[in-house]
Amino acid sequence: MSRIGKLPIKVPPGVTVTVNGHVVQVKGPKGELSRTMHRDVGVAVEGDVVRVTRPSDEDRHKALHGLSRTLVFNMVEGVTKGYQKQLEITGVGYKAEMRPYGLQLALGYSHQIEYKAPKGIKLTAPQPTQILIDGADKELVGQVAAELRSLRPPEPYKGKGIKYVGEQIRRKAGKAGGK
């Protein structure tokens, strides 16, 4: 048995989970999420518990079992608590500003970068050097954070760029001086 896959998912009060064929829908206070599961994996709602089952002990079914259970758990967790990622901007003149469409970023290029937030994502910049990404979908929150980081990844010499809070940047020594 998959150790993760066999664990039941407890559904908190105020959250509803519905299964229609292979489509799992989760509604809660933070929003509504939907995902189509693999056809070999079974998802059943029993009262306030969701269980994920697999048809056999083949390796691919074992892998899908744990994955599917984790995806459903992340959906339940997302509509109750939500997910958040924090980014920090390092560099002289590098900053982020809130705009009605999303963020406007100054990252050392000759132009400003406008980043529009996808549906279900809330972007905030409490300080010019800090970006907060909030949302119910864990996958989408991580994707937006990765896209923002890729606009100016941290460089190894001075550490300038956008990085995750707590991320360690591997630094390099610069050129050795003359004689």
Side-chain angles (χ1 to χ4, degrees):
M1 282 294 282
S2 168
R3 292 182 187 170
I4 292 173
K6 70 180 178 182
L7 295 173
I9 302 166
K10 190 157 175 51
V11 179
V15 175
T16 59
V17 179
T18 56
V19 179
N20 186 7
H22 294 294
V23 178
V24 178
Q25 289 184 319
V26 182
K27 293 179 188 172
K30 295 266 184 177
E32 180 180 340
L33 296 173
S34 176
R35 180 177 289 274
T36 303
M37 292 294 164
H38 194 274
R39 65 184 181 282
D40 291 344
V41 177
V43 180
V45 180
E46 303 162 357
D48 65 342
V49 173
V50 178
R51 293 191 188 278
V52 179
T53 58
R54 66 173 187 242
S56 71
D57 284 342
E58 289 181 34
D59 286 343
R60 65 186 188 97
H61 287 155
K62 287 180 182 179
L64 284 172
H65 192 204
L67 171 72
S68 300
R69 189 258 178 212
T70 303
L71 291 174
V72 174
F73 178 78
N74 288 343
M75 289 167 60
V76 171
E77 192 83 5
V79 297
T80 55
K81 298 178 186 173
Y83 290 100
Q84 183 180 62
K85 289 264 188 186
Q86 296 180 358
L87 299 172
E88 59 186 10
I89 303 172
T90 309
V92 177
Y94 290 16
K95 63 182 179 178
E97 295 177 2
M98 289 298 302
R99 295 283 184 246
Y101 53 80
L103 286 177
Q104 182 174 354
L105 301 157
L107 299 174
Y109 297 116
S110 61
H111 58 282
Q112 304 284 327
I113 298 171
E114 296 177 352
Y115 187 85
K116 294 172 180 51
K119 188 179 175 204
I121 295 293
K122 181 182 167 210
L123 294 172
T124 54
Q127 299 172 354
T129 60
Q130 190 178 23
I131 301 171
L132 296 177
I133 304 155
D134 287 306
D137 189 352
K138 186 175 187 177
E139 188 177 341
L140 191 57
V141 169
Q143 181 65 36
V144 168
E147 287 173 4
L148 284 169
R149 184 183 183 277
S150 72
L151 295 174
R152 180 66 96 166
E155 52 97 15
Y157 298 103
K158 292 184 178 179
K160 294 181 353 181
I162 301 175
K163 67 177 188 142
Y164 298 108
V165 170
E167 179 183 8
Q168 295 292 320
I169 303 301
R170 203 155 174 204
R171 303 295 291 271
K172 291 182 180 179
K175 284 187 191 176
K179 299 184 181 197

